[in-house]
Amino acid sequence: MQRLLSLFPFPLLALNQSTPLCRCLYGDACWPTTSDFSSLQSQISRPLIYPIPTASACYPLSSPSENCTDIQTNWHNGTWRAGHPGSMDSTNYESFISRNGSISACYVNTTLGVPCEQGNVPVIGVDARSVSDVQAAVKFAASHNLRVAIKNTGHDFTGRSAARNSFMIWTHHLNNITLNPTFVPEGAPAMETYDAITIGSGVIWNDAYNAVAAQGRMLIGGISAGGSVGAAGGWLQGGGHSAFSPLHGLGVDNVIEIKLVTAAGEYLTANAHQHSDLFWALRGGGGGTWGVLTSVTYQTHPTFPVTTVFFNATATNTTVIKKLFTEFVRIHPALSTASFGGYAIATSTSLNFLYSLPNGTDARANASFDSFFGLARSLAVEGLEIATQETGTYDSFNQWFQSIFQTIPTDGGIVELASRLLPTVLFAEDEYEAFADKLFTVAGYQIIWNFVAGGAVSKVDPDSTGLNPAWRESLVEAIWGVRWNEGATYSEIERMRAWLAATMEQVSAIMPGAGSYFNEVRHETGSLFEPTPKETYFGSHYDRLKEIKDEYDPNGLFIVGAGVGSDEWVDDLNCRRSD
Ligand SMILES: Cc1cc2nc3c(=O)[nH]c(=O)nc-3n(C[C@H](O)[C@H](O)[C@H](O)COP(=O)(O)OP(=O)(O)OC[C@H]3O[C@@H](n4cnc5c(N)ncnc54)[C@H](O)[C@@H]3O)c2cc1C
Ligand SMILES: *[C@@H]1O[C@H](CO)[C@@H](O)[C@H](O)[C@H]1NC(C)=O
Ligand SMILES: *[C@@H]1O[C@H](CO)[C@@H](O)[C@H](O)[C@H]1NC(C)=O
Ligand SMILES: *[C@@H]1O[C@H](CO)[C@@H](O)[C@H](O)[C@H]1NC(C)=O
Ligand SMILES: *[C@@H]1O[C@H](CO)[C@@H](O)[C@H](O)[C@H]1NC(C)=O
Ligand SMILES: *[C@@H]1O[C@H](CO)[C@@H](O)[C@H](O)[C@H]1NC(C)=O
Ligand SMILES: *[C@@H]1O[C@H](CO)[C@@H](O)[C@H](O)[C@H]1NC(C)=O
Ligand SMILES: *[C@@H]1O[C@H](CO)[C@@H](O)[C@H](O)[C@H]1NC(C)=O
Ligand SMILES: *[C@@H]1O[C@H](CO)[C@@H](O)[C@H](O)[C@H]1NC(C)=O
Ligand SMILES: *[C@@H]1O[C@H](CO)[C@@H](O)[C@H](O)[C@H]1NC(C)=O
């Protein structure tokens, strides 16, 4: 080694200087000076922002600001949270939970008497309003070796839009919407046209749905209270599912063109004709990894009437719920053939679902659940109570969405999740019973059940996008997780995490090699919970994704938890692995 050093002293030295091992964080000596930030300020259109944790206005306890009431009122409102740069949807990601047991947080529950701290919330950032704002922000972050957090709505379930002592690029105000019934992708032949919508990367689903509804169209997007999930950020890049994905595919199957600023500060158009390798990677390779998206173009579809079946039954005896759940699992291949999609929640004492049929009728919808409803009725003698069994027909997709999903939102909770894409083969006649039984038991009798795959999702060539190929062979995405209250101690949190890790291992044993949805997972640097994260989140596409990552972001400016290339980083993804 000594000899090598003396042979090549200069290049080694230069390498050390140009690519330091660790990021420059707020508080470090290398952090940009006031004059550096003034120079950035002169290149951007809006004042630099200083994000703060959501509950900050309720502190200090001796003199909270008048805004504290506003915060308490809107705490669970995802749309409101998206409008605040320091707000993360799962509030635990505003907190910094250190492995040494210390917690830096800002609780809305002021009764706890814990002082408000910055936690994981980035300390400064750019409120981007234009492509050139994004370019200035990216170049500044790259030249100062900063840890970057790209934040859209902050809905990420693993806190990837926050990072302690980092620099934020906030896309919320990139909210242009343009409709074009004869959209031609850049570089495409003139006859390749789409009925399309182009949205800035800060647009949320509710606004995109309303925009196309005015033209009698619909599009595939996230389905949640208030429609507050971002339509052109993490949702899309992670895959993007909808109750109507079985009809028209996932988000990645509906996107036509993506515009972004790369790590080099270049503004590029990625589509099937230009930068098609990057376009492939952006469709499933995960948010916060490839550059900063500034706008996205989706194809739209003609709208259709929707028939929905609402069901909720309860029983104090878990065995009874398990019988009903098993029958529910059994009918999924038939529901898939009939074009249903939707959402269910199974707990030890209830089974609740909302399943929808495009172009359906009440009679056809009921017929698909004949055997299931029959079993539910017969389980009455064993204590099953049917709280809800209704159908509803809506004139259009947007009427369906607006009628059902403008309810009281439930965002702003503390949650860590695990997810598995349930392979279609496990729903087969000779498999489903054992599968349903084991899954329900090991996931602790609390499963969020997203019936968002199969159908059109499974008809797409698995290699046509960078998305985990497991999506194409699965029918349902199952999610389960843990919650704790503000003020929980580190050891209480660790106990929850240990339970989650153990259940993940048990669920994996039921379906060895099954994939997971990148957007609805729990990860840790070092992957305590996913022993093989590359395979689980990206499957056989990982190596190609990594090649594309190295081409467009060779210095790893954009790194997020469990994302492509993240295994090369340690210490909360702030330092390059040195071994
Ligand atoms: C209430 C709720 C409902 C949900 N419903 C659904 C659903 O129906 N279907 C579904 O598939 N998922 C759903 N999800 C999961 C959702 O897909 C993820 O939370 C996703 O990460 C949200 O993306 P975002 O851009 O809104 O959020 P953010 O947290 O702001 O961003 C998520 C990730 O994408 C990156 N990112 C954001 N914007 C950009 C950009 N412009 N350029 C580059 N990277 C960017 C961020 O850095 C981060 O890594 C839901 C989540 C919540 C909280
Ligand atoms: C209260 O909120 C408003 C709107 O977000 C903001 O302009 C104002 O500065 C806040 N006031 C305080 C005291 O934080
Ligand atoms: C949520 O917040 C948004 C933005 O502030 C507001 O428009 C909406 O009315 C709120 N929704 C509810 C249910 O309070
Ligand atoms: C724990 O870690 C945090 C940050 O990583 C540090 O600020 C704190 O001093 C540490 N506390 C102890 C008790 O070591
Ligand atoms: C707030 O914290 C106090 C003290 O631990 C607890 O008694 C109370 O139930 C909490 N309130 C809420 C709304 O969680
Ligand atoms: C948004 O639209 C306006 C008007 O068409 C245009 O001037 C502006 O450049 C657009 N902004 C972005 C970020 O595309
Ligand atoms: C299902 O019904 C029970 C009993 O009415 C209720 O407590 C529960 O909240 C319902 N579940 C859902 C998800 O609506
Ligand atoms: C629960 O139901 C099962 C049959 O479904 C029955 O065998 C069992 O005895 C019941 N348990 C209780 C506690 O009632
Ligand atoms: C719904 O039915 C209409 C009329 O038959 C048909 O044109 C349309 O393609 C159908 N849409 C879907 C999504 O099935
Ligand atoms: C469908 O079932 C619901 C109850 O589940 C019932 O109210 C409705 O009348 C049924 N509709 C048809 C057309 O069968």
Side-chain angles (χ1 to χ4, degrees):
M1 191 61 190
Q2 201 54 49
R3 236 183 70 204
L4 281 175
L5 278 176
S6 61
L7 275 172
F8 305 107
F10 183 72
L12 277 176
L13 202 64
L15 187 71
N16 279 338
Q17 277 172 354
S18 64
T19 57
L21 217 48
C22 292
R23 303 281 187 202
C24 183
L25 300 178
Y26 174 66
D28 292 347
C30 54
W31 185 252
T33 62
T34 310
S35 112
D36 294 329
F37 280 114
S38 306
S39 141
L40 170 62
Q41 182 65 77
S42 70
Q43 299 165 52
I44 57 177
S45 64
R46 305 288 293 201
L48 284 162
I49 52 169
Y50 299 87
I52 49 174
T54 314
S56 300
C58 299
Y59 294 82
L61 290 171
S62 53
S63 59
S65 104
E66 78 275 6
N67 286 356
C68 181
T69 314
D70 191 36
I71 285 160
Q72 288 162 339
T73 307
N74 287 295
W75 190 257
H76 295 289
N77 181 337
T79 308
W80 182 89
R81 299 188 79 87
H84 293 255
S87 294
M88 304 301 147
D89 227 54
S90 305
T91 59
N92 41 314
Y93 298 115
E94 290 181 24
S95 305
F96 178 70
I97 303 173
S98 170
R99 277 175 207 85
N100 69 16
S102 73
I103 298 175
S104 169
C106 185
Y107 297 131
V108 71
N109 186 348
T110 52
T111 314
L112 291 164
V114 179
C116 172
E117 291 182 1
Q118 188 76 10
N120 264 358
V121 175
V123 292
I124 191 167
V126 170
D127 174 6
R129 307 285 172 132
S130 64
V131 170
S132 75
D133 282 350
V134 174
Q135 289 176 304
V138 167
K139 285 178 186 164
F140 182 82
S143 70
H144 290 278
N145 183 34
L146 305 182
R147 174 74 188 277
V148 177
I150 307 171
K151 194 215 172 201
N152 181 20
T153 66
H155 278 43
D156 195 83
F157 278 124
T158 67
R160 296 183 185 111
S161 30
R164 186 168 172 75
N165 294 322
S166 70
F167 174 80
M168 177 183 286
I169 301 177
W170 194 33
T171 62
H172 176 68
H173 289 111
L174 291 169
N175 51 13
N176 276 2
I177 296 184
T178 313
L179 301 176
N180 184 348
T182 55
F183 179 86
V184 180
E186 276 178 33
M191 74 247 248
E192 188 188 325
T193 69
Y194 298 88
D195 195 320
I197 179 174
T198 299
I199 54 181
S201 55
V203 170
I204 61 169
W205 279 117
N206 189 55
D207 297 337
Y209 293 151
N210 282 330
V212 303
Q215 315 297 313
R217 313 283 297 177
M218 64 81 67
L219 78 164
I220 294 302
I223 306 293
S224 69
S228 62
V229 173
W235 179 89
L236 168 65
Q237 295 171 81
H241 65 67
S242 154
F244 299 97
S245 290
L247 176 70
H248 286 314
L250 296 165
V252 294
D253 304 325
N254 282 271
V255 65
I256 303 164
E257 185 165 284
I258 296 173
K259 295 189 184 232
L260 75 163
V261 173
T262 64
E266 252 186 301
Y267 179 49
L268 296 185
T269 298
N271 63 27
H273 308 277
Q274 297 180 355
H275 300 289
S276 57
D277 53 350
L278 185 54
F279 187 52
W280 183 86
L282 285 161
R283 289 176 293 158
T289 301
W290 311 98
V292 182
L293 275 55
T294 54
S295 67
V296 162
T297 303
Y298 288 107
Q299 61 176 318
T300 67
H301 303 279
T303 193
F304 41 78
V306 177
T307 300
T308 295
V309 178
F310 301 91
F311 181 86
N312 186 8
T314 59
T316 48
N317 184 340
T318 301
T319 310
V320 174
I321 295 292
K322 197 189 267 185
K323 282 186 189 171
L324 192 63
F325 178 72
T326 303
E327 172 64 7
F328 184 60
V329 170
R330 187 189 73 82
I331 63 174
H332 271 71
L335 293 176
S336 180
T337 305
S339 281
F340 273 97
Y343 310 98
I345 299 174
T347 73
S348 57
T349 55
S350 68
L351 176 63
N352 184 294
F353 65 81
L354 183 167
Y355 272 19
S356 296
L357 186 61
N359 258 355
T361 61
D362 287 7
R364 268 211 294 130
N366 280 352
S368 296
F369 286 92
D370 235 15
S371 65
F372 175 86
F373 289 155
L375 177 68
R377 271 194 306 275
S378 74
L379 287 175
V381 294
E382 294 182 41
L384 188 80
E385 285 183 36
I386 300 174
T388 310
Q389 186 184 319
E390 288 165 18
T391 49
T393 291
Y394 305 84
D395 290 345
S396 67
F397 165 80
N398 202 41
Q399 201 214 348
W400 171 86
F401 181 78
Q402 300 298 337
S403 308
I404 302 176
F405 294 96
Q406 294 300 351
T407 48
I408 307 302
T410 54
D411 310 49
I414 290 176
V415 64
E416 284 189 5
L417 300 175
S419 115
R420 275 294 178 277
L421 297 167
L422 308 182
T424 308
V425 291
L426 293 179
F427 290 79
E429 229 175 305
D430 54 346
E431 296 274 0
Y432 80 90
E433 210 163 349
F435 164 58
D437 180 69
K438 284 188 210 149
L439 178 66
F440 194 44
T441 307
V442 301
Y445 307 112
Q446 44 151 11
I447 302 173
I448 297 169
W449 178 270
N450 293 332
F451 181 28
V452 293
V457 176
S458 55
K459 295 199 176 77
V460 174
D461 171 2
D463 297 328
S464 65
T465 71
L467 183 71
N468 189 346
W471 267 104
R472 311 300 178 183
E473 295 174 356
S474 302
L475 206 49
V476 168
E477 184 218 3
I479 306 176
W480 67 104
V482 290
R483 293 179 179 281
W484 58 85
N485 291 323
E486 287 188 336
T489 63
Y490 184 70
S491 65
E492 286 165 342
I493 294 171
E494 284 295 278
R495 222 170 26 245
M496 304 267 186
R497 289 175 167 175
W499 179 86
L500 194 58
T503 57
M504 279 180 70
E505 208 170 290
Q506 291 165 333
V507 172
S508 296
I510 303 170
M511 48 190 101
S516 179
Y517 182 25
F518 186 71
N519 281 347
E520 294 177 333
V521 294
R522 163 74 199 153
H523 74 84
E524 258 210 351
T525 320
S527 287
L528 173 64
F529 297 134
E530 289 291 359
T532 56
K534 295 176 184 174
E535 289 80 357
T536 309
Y537 299 129
F538 304 103
S540 59
H541 288 164
Y542 187 85
D543 292 345
R544 178 68 187 129
L545 287 168
K546 182 62 166 59
E547 281 170 20
I548 299 169
K549 169 81 179 163
D550 289 342
E551 188 184 333
Y552 287 93
D553 183 17
N555 298 321
L557 181 63
F558 303 116
I559 296 292
V560 295
V564 172
S566 63
D567 61 320
E568 295 175 353
W569 295 79
V570 291
D571 290 341
D572 297 315
L573 305 178
N574 287 320
C575 294
R576 248 185 211 286
R577 200 180 277 285
S578 51
D579 48 33

